Amino acid sequence: MLFSGDLGNAGRPLLRPPAVPPRTDVVVMETTYGDRLHKPIGPSIEELYAAVSDTFRRGGNVIIPTFGLERAQELLYVLSRGIESGRLMRATQVFLDSPMAISATEILERYPESLQPQVAELIRKGHDPFQLPGLHFTRERAESMALNNIRGGAIIMAGSGMATGGRVRHHLRHNLWRPECSVVFVGFAAEGTLARQIIDGANRVQLFGEEIPVKASVHTINGFSAHADQAELLAWHRQTGAGRTFLTHGEESTMRQFAAKLADTAVEMPALHQTYAL
């Protein structure tokens, strides 16, 4: 019996591709993006650079709700490459406002074997792949609060990725109503979350008991997703040879669309507390 966990998205600039799964009788697998294909990473990176440049020309800030492990580090790496290539200004100010993401970044640097060979080689040669000229780590609460005084020219990355909690909610409160600013979503947003409300086009949202108008530009760049898309999920499943498949971790409509794509396997979509004999 094999549990997929969160299946990684192949072809990432930072982490190595997912391992080939073993053959198994029964598989329990996620279906987060079982109904769609991701945009390629190259155009997604260019879209991020364009969003940053356009926002800075308007005099605003870029707020990126960021998951602390992998996504934050990948964005730092991409932004660093953007500055090196001249796609972004060398003076770009980036604030990683997440104690957990900061610690995760430091841990990844100590274990280069988990990274793509070209990134690991940079670390071995003494080059920090996550370093930018204008990078600031803000661990302390007072440092985070001080970011609210910045009116423009900053990229602020903070959790949580779905904006359900964490410091990013404060940054949204101070920037979401400003037309010169942008909010860039780079990951999955579940139904009912603040991120999903904004992505779905809400005109106003509730933050800390206040009704905040959504005037900032909203960008959704799913090419940065850490989850496998439909094609990758199907390819992974074929490699398992499983005769019985349990689908989890996805919205019901997505699961049903993905289930319809599976062949040569009995498919179950368990409900809470439902039991099965194996």
Side-chain angles (χ1 to χ4, degrees):
M1 187 173 186
L2 177 65
F3 289 80
S4 73
D6 287 343
L7 286 176
N9 188 358
R12 313 305 300 164
L14 189 60
L15 293 188
R16 294 181 301 174
V20 175
R23 303 288 286 184
T24 187
D25 300 308
V26 180
V27 67
V28 180
M29 68 179 297
E30 61 118 328
T31 60
T32 306
Y33 284 107
D35 61 343
R36 73 196 79 168
L37 301 177
H38 292 321
K39 179 184 291 188
I41 187 64
S44 297
I45 291 173
E46 289 302 315
E47 189 176 347
L48 174 64
Y49 293 161
V52 170
S53 298
D54 291 345
T55 305
F56 286 178
R57 277 194 290 269
R58 296 196 304 268
N61 294 319
V62 179
I63 309 300
I64 308 181
T66 311
F67 297 101
L69 181 60
E70 182 187 355
R71 199 72 45 82
Q73 294 77 38
E74 185 171 272
L75 287 170
L76 289 178
Y77 179 71
V78 166
L79 292 172
S80 176
R81 301 288 81 76
I83 290 173
E84 284 187 5
S85 66
R87 293 289 285 109
L88 297 175
M89 295 184 300
R90 186 167 181 79
T92 299
Q93 299 297 297
V94 179
F95 296 87
L96 185 58
D97 188 26
S98 166
M100 182 171 70
I102 294 168
S103 295
T105 303
E106 293 168 348
I107 291 169
L108 272 183
E109 290 176 320
R110 295 205 299 271
Y111 295 93
E113 62 271 17
S114 67
L115 305 175
Q116 289 278 18
Q118 66 272 20
V119 182
E121 187 63 20
L122 286 175
I123 294 175
R124 294 189 186 99
K125 289 182 176 179
H127 300 296
D128 188 339
F130 309 120
Q131 189 55 248
L132 302 87
L135 177 61
H136 309 271
F137 285 164
T138 53
R139 289 185 184 272
E140 302 302 324
R141 183 169 174 266
E143 295 174 322
S144 176
M145 292 174 64
L147 300 184
N148 296 326
N149 297 321
I150 300 175
R151 305 303 295 169
I155 299 172
I156 301 174
M157 300 162 50
S160 68
M162 297 191 198
T164 53
R167 294 178 175 182
V168 76
R169 292 172 64 87
H170 293 276
H171 301 310
L172 290 172
R173 179 187 184 188
H174 287 271
N175 292 274
L176 193 58
W177 54 271
R178 300 174 58 209
E180 64 271 28
C181 294
S182 291
V183 182
V184 179
F185 293 101
V186 291
F188 184 77
E191 288 185 4
T193 63
L194 177 60
R196 185 66 167 266
Q197 293 175 41
I198 297 171
I199 290 169
D200 286 348
N203 293 319
R204 311 179 81 82
V205 295
Q206 289 287 328
L207 275 165
F208 305 105
E210 297 181 41
E211 194 172 74
I212 307 296
V214 181
K215 300 292 186 182
S217 295
V218 177
H219 303 264
T220 305
I221 311 178
N222 279 332
F224 281 102
S225 175
H227 285 270
D229 65 7
Q230 184 188 79
E232 292 175 301
L233 289 169
L234 290 171
W236 185 89
H237 184 272
R238 283 194 296 270
Q239 291 174 310
T240 68
R244 195 172 186 186
T245 301
F246 293 87
L247 301 182
T248 61
H249 200 295
E251 295 171 359
E252 185 176 350
S253 62
T254 299
M255 283 191 201
R256 294 194 181 281
Q257 291 183 59
F258 185 71
K261 298 281 185 180
L262 294 175
D264 302 323
T265 185
V267 180
E268 307 276 5
M269 289 178 281
L272 185 64
H273 301 310
Q274 192 169 358
T275 60
Y276 294 86
L278 301 177

